[in-house]
Structures are given as structure tokens and as C-alpha cells.
Amino acid sequence: MRHRRPTVADLLSMKGKRQLSMLRVETLDEADAAERAGVDLVSVPPALLGPAFREAAPSVFAFPGLEYGDFVTAEEYIRAAFQALKAGGDAVYCAASLQTVRRMRDEGIPVCGHLGLIPSKATWTGGFRAVGKTALSALEIWRQTKALEEAGAFAAEIEVVPGDVASAISKRTAMLMLSMGAGSGCDAQYLFADDVLGANRGHVPRHARIYRNFAAEYDRLHQERIAAFSEYVADVKSGAYPGEAHLVGIDPAELEAFLLALE
């Protein structure tokens, strides 16, 4: 049986003691599966939160993502963060400025930042590629880590950074470090459910590990869907549907009275 949902303090107390598991989930079914599988942390779109989400996943720690660009001012971020926490989130992901992170932390909002490859800001680091492969680049990630920590973030996703670099940084920061392709020297391993399930039909990141082939199963189910629809169309054309079993009956006397009334 799962224990109660962990708090920020609980997670920080686990730093350096064991690896946590983290998934990006986007449906209630995925949230339910994460709960049943014992996943520790989930990243979710804020719209997924609510009573149904917490019924499906009562004990996973949830990071609703405040997507960069959907909000502009610190006030907008703070308002969205409070809404997400009220709907069942435990902390918010935010890749906004340090000033915004600081404002949110001042309001007591637990914030998870982002380091390394940040997709929404990838143009500044050369596109969708690894970051921190030179001493200069690695030191810049370290500088950003300390700045984020000083701004009040309690955690940070560190994405596509050499494992040795990420490990060295994780040991030197009090923040919980969530590794997406940054090795096991961090505090948690983070993958997208679509990649784990093999449902992603696009580019599969190097760091992803595929455990099932949902894409093939979706293809099979789609062919079954087409076949079922085709059989239905054929039955409608031939008159095989609807049959007596699909209709509501009427007493013959009542039917006769109705038909006479139509005359």
C-alpha cells in the first residue's frame, strides 16, 4: 500500500539517499498507472488536475507545468501557480526569470526550475543538443544552478547534460535534481510516458528507454476500428441493423389504437 503523498520537506530529506522515479503523464489513465506502479513524481499539464486526478493518483507528488510563454508577468505566474496547487498540484514547474521564481518563493509556492537543455530557450544554447560538454559551458550550468537555488527553487530539472557534470552539480546543491538524460548522479530519473510506452511516433531522445510498443498496438486497434465501422455500414445498408433485439416493443393493441388515431 502506498504511503501518504510526500511533501517538499520529505523529498528534500531523501536527497542523496535513493533515486526517485518521475514520469510526464497527460491522461488520467497514465496517472492511475503511475500510482499503481509506484512512481514517485509526475509532471502534468495543469488542466489534468482536479478531483478526478487525485482519485486516480492520490499519493504521487505532482508538478503541474507553467509553460514558458503562456504567462508573462510574475503576477500571472503566481495566479496560475495558486490555481494549480489548489487543484491538487504539489509544486510548479517554471522556466521563467529568477525574479519570477523569487516572487513565487516569497509567496510560499514550491518551484522547480530548469537547467541544461531548456526546450523553450534552446536557441540560446544551439538548439536541441546536449549542454555542458565543455568546461566553460558546464560552469555556466553551475552558475545558473546556484542562481536558481538562491532565488528559492527547491528542485530543478537538468536536461541532456553529461552525467559527470550533472553528478558534480547535484552533490553541490541543496536542490532536488531531476535528471532527464543527465545520468544517475542526480536525485530522480525523469522520462515521458509516451517514450516509456513506445507511443511516440516522432523523434525518440537518446536518453529515453522504450518498455512497450503502444504505437503498434494503436495501429492494430485502429485497423479494428475501421473494420468495425465498415461492418456497421454494411449492416445498415443491408438492413441487418437494427434488428428486433435493438428495438423497443409496443403492445399490439396500443399500436392499433395509435394507427387508427392517425387516420
Side-chain angles (χ1 to χ4, degrees), residues 107-166:
E107 295 295 340
I109 298 168
V111 179
C112 173
H114 202 152
L115 301 161
L117 170 60
I118 306 174
S120 60
K121 301 178 180 179
T123 189
W124 294 102
T125 52
F128 290 85
R129 60 179 65 184
V131 182
K133 295 181 70 174
T134 66
L136 191 62
S137 177
L139 283 169
E140 176 59 19
I141 297 172
W142 169 240
R143 186 195 67 77
Q144 293 172 2
T145 301
K146 293 306 292 179
L148 191 58
E149 182 178 348
E150 289 165 7
F154 87 97
E157 176 185 347
I158 183 165
E159 183 169 352
V160 195
V161 169
D164 290 338
V165 171

Side-chain angles (χ1 to χ4, degrees), residues 40-89:
D40 297 299
L41 318 169
V42 293
S43 165
V44 299
L48 188 64
L49 294 172
F53 172 79
R54 276 307 171 194
E55 184 176 344
S59 65
V60 293
F61 189 99
F63 292 86
L66 305 184
E67 297 301 331
Y68 185 71
D70 287 351
F71 312 96
V72 179
T73 66
E75 286 71 22
E76 289 174 342
Y77 274 101
I78 290 169
R79 185 176 296 108
F82 276 129
Q83 289 173 345
L85 296 178
K86 187 176 181 180

Side-chain angles (χ1 to χ4, degrees), residues 86-243:
K86 187 176 181 180
D90 298 294
V92 295
Y93 163 86
C94 177
S97 68
L98 294 173
Q99 290 85 349
T100 296
V101 172
R102 192 171 292 110
R103 284 283 307 280
M104 295 172 76
R105 179 61 183 87
D106 287 345
E107 295 295 340
I109 298 168
V111 179
C112 173
H114 202 152
L115 301 161
L117 170 60
I118 306 174
S120 60
K121 301 178 180 179
T123 189
W124 294 102
T125 52
F128 290 85
R129 60 179 65 184
V131 182
K133 295 181 70 174
T134 66
L136 191 62
S137 177
L139 283 169
E140 176 59 19
I141 297 172
W142 169 240
R143 186 195 67 77
Q144 293 172 2
T145 301
K146 293 306 292 179
L148 191 58
E149 182 178 348
E150 289 165 7
F154 87 97
E157 176 185 347
I158 183 165
E159 183 169 352
V160 195
V161 169
D164 290 338
V165 171
S167 179
I169 289 174
S170 185
K171 291 174 183 176
R172 290 167 173 79
T173 177
M175 290 192 298
L176 200 73
M177 300 299 283
L178 315 176
S179 166
M180 179 168 277
S184 59
C186 298
D187 303 300
Q189 298 303 312
Y190 179 19
L191 288 177
F192 277 48
D194 271 0
D195 291 329
V196 170
L197 297 174
N200 182 3
R201 297 180 186 277
H203 170 70
V204 177
R206 176 187 300 190
H207 59 262
R209 182 169 183 178
I210 299 172
Y211 290 81
R212 292 293 185 274
N213 190 353
F214 271 38
E217 188 65 13
Y218 288 150
D219 288 342
R220 185 189 70 79
L221 288 172
H222 189 56
Q223 291 305 312
E224 287 295 304
R225 182 184 292 116
I226 294 170
F229 288 178
S230 297
E231 290 172 22
Y232 164 68
V233 169
D235 281 352
V236 170
K237 288 180 178 178
S238 70
Y241 178 85

Side-chain angles (χ1 to χ4, degrees), residues 250-263:
I250 183 172
D251 183 270
E254 294 296 332
L255 176 61
E256 183 177 0
F258 167 67
L259 293 175
L260 284 174
L262 293 178
E263 297 297 331

